[in-house]
Amino acid sequence: MDFDSFVRSNKIINLALVMGICFMSMVLFFVLDPKNAQQDLPFNSAYLVALAIFPWFGSRFIYRAGVMKAAKNNNLKDKLLGYRASFIIACAIAEGFALLGLMSYFYFTRDSSLLFVAGVAVVSLLLLHPTKDRIISELGLSREEQKELNRIQI
């Protein structure tokens, strides 16, 4: 796979996760009866703020740490594969909290702060959206490495 395909596949992963969350929320909205939801959360609603903050900062921290580690590699292919690994892990964390917020909203209580948790996680996913320029700048690729991007097979 060349660099354009690498970027395109990462974009597809990102958008597929966002679309999955949107479709899951639509299905739950139409399938579940709001009267059957429990009225109380199994935890204090003050924890919802922490629940919304964790995917935002957690996915950012793991993403940045992984990209910085990948940027230290000498091999361009290893840099790109390290970038992809940290990208997928960060997306998985954000998507997990979005699904947790949606499931809690539809199954436990219709508290709008749970939708806030899911919304923050979706925004976090959207902010991770990869582009060629973003990958190049975050990995700190030199001019020689940027020229090699056209020839490399990942």
Side-chain angles (χ1 to χ4, degrees), residues 15 21 24 28 52 72-73 90 104 106-107 112 114 153:
L15 293 176
I21 293 167
M24 173 70 81
L28 291 173
K72 292 179 183 176
N73 286 326
S104 297
F106 285 107
Y107 283 107
S112 62
L114 288 167
Q153 290 297 314

Side-chain angles (χ1 to χ4, degrees), residues 6 12-13 16 21 29 44-45 49 55 94 100 104 109-110 118 137:
F6 175 80
I12 290 170
I13 290 169
I21 293 167
F29 178 78
N44 187 341
S45 63
V49 175
L100 177 66
S104 297
T109 183
R110 299 295 171 112
S137 68

Side-chain angles (χ1 to χ4, degrees), residues 9 17 21 23 25-26 36 51-52 69 72 84 86 92 94 101 119 121 136 142 150:
S9 67
L17 293 174
I21 293 167
F23 288 139
S25 62
M26 285 185 353
N36 292 341
L51 196 62
K69 183 179 176 184
K72 292 179 183 176
R84 174 176 255 176
S86 63
I136 289 169
S142 65
N150 298 329

Side-chain angles (χ1 to χ4, degrees), residues 2-50:
D2 61 345
F3 183 63
D4 290 335
S5 298
F6 175 80
V7 174
R8 193 173 327 114
S9 67
N10 285 336
K11 286 182 180 183
I12 290 170
I13 290 169
N14 183 265
L15 293 176
L17 293 174
V18 172
M19 287 175 47
I21 293 167
C22 294
F23 288 139
M24 173 70 81
S25 62
M26 285 185 353
V27 166
L28 291 173
F29 178 78
F30 289 115
V31 170
L32 295 178
D33 186 11
K35 295 176 222 161
N36 292 341
Q38 299 175 3
Q39 295 305 316
D40 294 328
L41 287 171
F43 49 84
N44 187 341
S45 63
Y47 292 114
L48 293 177
V49 175

Side-chain angles (χ1 to χ4, degrees), residues 126-145:
L126 290 173
L127 291 176
L128 287 172
H129 190 73
T131 62
K132 287 181 184 181
D133 294 334
R134 181 177 184 175
I135 293 171
I136 289 169
S137 68
E138 287 182 347
L139 289 175
L141 299 181
S142 65
R143 294 273 185 217
E144 295 80 29
E145 289 174 325

